[in-house]
Amino acid sequence: MKIVDLATASRRAEQLCQEHGLELLEQKDIPYGRQFKVRTGGSTAQLNIYFGKKGLKLVVQGGDNATKAALEEVTAAMEGRSAGVASGAVKKEKKALPEVTAVYDEPWIGTDESGKGDFFGPLVTAGVIVDPEAVPLLQSLGVDDSKKITDKKIPGMAEEIRKICFGKYKVLQINPAKYNELYGKMKNLNVLLAWTHAAVIEDLLEKHDVKLAIADKFGDEKYINDKLKTKGKGIHLIQVPKAEQNIAVAAASILARDALLKWSNGAKKQYGLTLPKGASSLVIQAGKSYVKEHGKDALVNVAKLHFKTTEDVLL
C-alpha cells in the first residue's frame, strides 16, 4: 500500500497493529497528524503519524516494553525497512544520551539560556513545556539547538514555537543594567544562571503540573537545585551537557536567542551602532565607539561590566 496521505497512513497503521496483536485503545487527531494509543498485555505505547516537510513521519512513544517494540515493527513496515534497522532519525538518537533525547509520555520542561558569553546585551533564559502531542510539530519545524540555526531563521521558528506551545513557555530577559546589579550581588555567573533557570521553572510550575525538567549543565548541579522553591523541589531535574539534544531544551534555546536578537536590533536602532556578539576585537571597537558617543557611565546599559572586555573598552 503506497502511503500518500494521512488517511492512507492511518488505515495502514490500524491494519498493521491488528496483524501484530496490538489492541487499539484510542486514536485521536493531533496537529497535522493522528495519534494511536495501543496495548498488548499490561503495557501501552503510542504512535504519532504526521506528514512533515520531508514526507511521512512516525514517532513511537512509551517505555521500554513489548508494546513499544511491536509498534516499532509497525513503523518499520510502514517505512519499508526491516524491523531492527533504524531510520536515520533513530540512528542519530542512539548516538546521544537516551535520557536527554527521549520523548516522554507526559509533558516536560526544557530550559536554556542565551547571551551569557556576549559582552553586549541581556542574559535571556527561556523555558518551554512540551506535550507529547507537540513533538511531531516541533520536529517538522526543524527545532534544534539554536546555535545550529541562522539568525535569519530564528524569528520565524520562535513564532511557530510560541503557537505550538501557546501558554506553556516563559522567557526571562535580564537587560544589562539589571544584569550588572544582580551580578554585583551574586558575584558568580553560575549562581546568576541558576537563579534564572529556577525562576523560569517555578513560573511554569505555577500554571502547569509538570514532573520533569531538563537543563543544560553549566556547573555543579546544586546551583539550580539550591535556587528552586517549594514547587520546584518536587520536580525531577536532569542536568547534562549538550541538553539541547532534547527537543524541549532546543525549543527554549530558540526562544532565548530570538529575544537576544530582538534586543540587538532594537539597540542598533536606538544607538545607531551595531553591538556585535561575543567579546572579540570588533566588540571592543564597538564599545569604544559607544563610550565616545554616550560616555563610560552609560556602558552599564548595554554591556556586562564584569567581563574583562570592559577594561579593554575603557583603555
Side-chain angles (χ1 to χ4, degrees), residues 105-150:
D105 294 331
E106 296 182 359
W108 76 98
I109 297 171
T111 64
D112 201 17
E113 78 284 327
S114 188
K116 69 179 179 183
D118 298 320
F119 176 64
F120 290 119
L123 172 66
V124 185
T125 299
V128 178
I129 296 175
V130 170
D131 296 307
E133 292 82 2
V135 171
L137 277 178
L138 296 173
Q139 290 173 329
S140 178
L141 188 61
V143 169
D144 201 346
D145 181 357
S146 66
K147 292 188 285 294
K148 298 179 182 179
I149 302 170
T150 64

Side-chain angles (χ1 to χ4, degrees), residues 175-212:
N175 287 332
K178 185 64 176 178
Y179 175 96
N180 290 315
E181 177 189 333
L182 291 172
Y183 187 88
K185 294 176 180 176
M186 298 182 187
K187 307 293 185 184
N188 184 297
L189 179 56
N190 282 340
V191 172
L192 178 51
L193 282 170
W195 178 80
T196 64
H197 279 262
V200 166
I201 291 170
E202 290 285 349
D203 183 89
L204 291 172
L205 291 178
E206 283 292 330
K207 304 162 190 169
H208 306 279
D209 183 19
V210 183
K211 298 173 183 176
L212 171 68

